[in-house]
Amino acid sequence: MGEITANGVNVAANVVSSLESLGVVDKEGGEHNAAEGTKAAATAHSIAGLLGWL
């Protein structure tokens, strides 16, 4: 279940990145920082899962 949640959160963060590309959301500021942090956390979670740490 954790992997599904991490993937869903990562998808949401990628939506924010896409909105940045379209000019809907600023490329700097809270939304950007939250999206980048979320993508990094989801990536770390996936790597930990692959390594069998979760």
Side-chain angles (χ1 to χ4, degrees), residues 15-27:
V15 167
V16 172
S17 292
S18 295
L19 292 174
E20 288 176 349
S21 297
L22 295 171
V24 176
V25 176
D26 289 336
K27 291 185 178 183

Side-chain angles (χ1 to χ4, degrees), residues 4-49:
I4 293 171
T5 303
N7 285 336
V9 171
N10 194 34
V11 168
N14 285 331
V15 167
V16 172
S17 292
S18 295
L19 292 174
E20 288 176 349
S21 297
L22 295 171
V24 176
V25 176
D26 289 336
K27 291 185 178 183
E28 295 181 13
E31 294 92 352
H32 172 79
N33 294 339
E36 293 302 314
T38 300
K39 288 188 282 185
T43 300
H45 182 273
S46 295
I47 290 171

